[in-house]
Amino acid sequence: MYKLLSERMHPEPPPNVLIKDQVSTKLRNQVIYVISGHLNNCPSFINTWGLYCNSIDYYNFYNGNNPEEIHNHKTMYNMLKQLDSSDFLDFLDVICDTLLSDPAFNNIGKEFVKDINDVLKTNSMGYAVVGTNVVPITDLGEVEEIIIPSYHTLANAGLENVSKYLDDAYDHFKNCKNQDAILSAFKALESTVESLLINLSVDYSQHQSFASRVELLIQSLSIRGYRVDNINKLVALIKISGEIRNRYSGHGSADMDVVSDDLVKYEIDLVASTILFLTRSYLASKRI
């Protein structure tokens, strides 16, 4: 089949192969377009841009231009086009982390994240905006089917406070603090279990183990279609997150060998999918 010139010049990457070390001109232009559409008149963005420029020594980078030009949009966009790939991704991360943590930005935050993630996805980038961070990903389906829905479902259940632990887990993982990432991921699951028990008015003791609290929650949710033996298997699966935490991020683990990225991703994905399942089951039980 004949391929157009644009297809020959810019071939699509192989399916499921994500790019992590190169930011194309096309992606830069699309990110700039999203920024210009959402943030041009946002004071928080202008302030954040100033902080970012200071962090990378803007004046040396841009040949010592007049400091007043730091907030000139044309100067800003020209600079973004010249940043190397690593600095560009750092810029995007700083912008997301600062603005999405600002309550004043809530009214446009969701649309901004959606548009940025669409750009990253269409360019087959191995990154996504999750919570308030740009995080590395290994599979697009993982983001669309587990990670982002877990945040939305927590919000629907009134458990936004749990999202902070997920944010921390991704932030630690991004900064190569793998033991801290595992610990924060498990805290997200632990907090979800405790919050759902409280919402269901189920009495439990702080001295109870995580496993026993999970069993209480599963029994209280009365998940339809699950036989007792299936529920026992489900509880055993959920307990794996705690076992990973105890082995790799609990007491006595500080001196162990470096924890692999693959194990951290498994823990975060397992926690996110478990949170999604438990919270959806809770919301379904309220509708019965």
Side-chain angles (χ1 to χ4, degrees):
M1 180 181 294
Y2 181 79
K3 289 190 176 182
L4 298 173
L5 174 62
S6 60
E7 294 175 314
R8 301 198 303 272
M9 294 293 291
H10 305 287
E12 291 292 325
N16 297 322
V17 175
L18 300 179
I19 302 168
K20 292 191 176 182
D21 57 356
Q22 185 176 358
V23 177
S24 66
T25 300
K26 174 187 171 186
L27 183 143
R28 291 169 191 265
N29 289 335
Q30 289 175 338
V31 168
I32 289 170
Y33 179 80
V34 172
I35 289 174
S36 65
H38 286 290
L39 305 177
N40 266 351
N41 298 315
C42 177
S44 296
F45 169 66
I46 299 298
N47 293 336
T48 303
W49 171 254
L51 291 173
Y52 173 75
C53 288
N54 289 334
S55 73
I56 64 166
D57 198 0
Y58 160 89
Y59 300 104
N60 287 337
F61 178 91
Y62 216 68
N63 299 321
N65 277 10
N66 187 323
E68 293 182 0
E69 291 188 10
I70 194 171
H71 292 154
N72 178 285
H73 287 166
K74 183 177 180 180
T75 301
M76 188 187 308
Y77 298 147
N78 285 339
M79 180 179 172
L80 290 178
K81 291 179 180 179
Q82 296 181 57
L83 291 175
D84 64 32
S85 295
S86 177
D87 284 337
F88 187 90
L89 291 169
D90 283 344
F91 155 76
L92 188 57
D93 184 54
V94 169
I95 292 298
C96 291
D97 182 60
T98 304
L99 295 182
L100 297 175
S101 300
D102 183 355
F105 190 66
N106 284 346
N107 59 328
I108 59 173
K110 289 183 180 179
E111 282 300 312
F112 174 70
V113 169
K114 179 181 180 301
D115 290 346
I116 291 294
N117 276 337
D118 284 346
V119 169
L120 294 172
K121 177 181 177 180
T122 57
N123 286 275
S124 296
M125 294 299 292
Y127 300 92
V129 181
V130 179
T132 62
N133 291 288
V134 175
V135 300
I137 62 171
T138 54
D139 184 88
L140 293 174
E142 164 195 19
V143 175
E144 295 176 343
E145 297 174 19
I146 300 175
I147 297 174
I148 292 176
S150 66
Y151 275 84
H152 291 167
T153 307
L154 284 170
N156 291 339
L159 302 179
E160 292 92 339
N161 59 308
V162 175
S163 301
K164 179 186 181 301
Y165 294 118
L166 286 177
D167 289 343
D168 289 344
Y170 286 114
D171 191 51
H172 290 317
F173 180 50
K174 179 179 61 184
N175 290 297
C176 301
K177 298 179 179 179
N178 285 358
Q179 286 181 304
D180 290 338
I182 287 176
L183 185 61
S184 292
F186 180 73
K187 283 182 178 178
L189 179 55
E190 194 172 40
S191 180
T192 299
V193 171
E194 291 179 356
S195 297
L196 292 178
L197 285 171
I198 291 171
N199 288 357
L200 291 165
S201 301
V202 177
D203 292 329
Y204 71 95
S205 168
Q206 290 291 339
H207 301 294
Q208 281 181 273
S209 67
F210 171 71
S212 64
R213 279 178 277 169
V214 168
E215 291 173 8
L216 266 179
L217 177 60
I218 296 295
Q219 293 166 3
S220 302
L221 287 172
S222 301
I223 301 170
R224 290 180 292 178
Y226 277 82
R227 300 192 308 272
V228 173
D229 57 336
N230 288 334
I231 289 178
N232 291 337
K233 292 175 183 178
L234 180 60
V235 171
L237 177 62
I238 295 173
K239 286 162 57 177
I240 292 175
S241 297
E243 293 166 2
I244 292 175
R245 190 286 307 268
N246 292 339
R247 173 69 180 84
Y248 295 97
S249 192
H251 297 298
S253 63
D255 297 328
M256 68 179 303
D257 293 336
V258 175
V259 179
S260 73
D261 288 352
D262 289 338
L263 181 65
V264 177
K265 286 295 293 177
Y266 175 73
E267 174 77 347
I268 292 176
D269 288 349
L270 180 59
V271 163
S273 58
T274 302
I275 286 174
L276 189 59
F277 173 76
L278 293 176
T279 310
R280 281 176 171 170
S281 298
Y282 165 71
L283 292 172
S285 71
K286 291 178 62 178
R287 292 192 291 268
I288 296 174

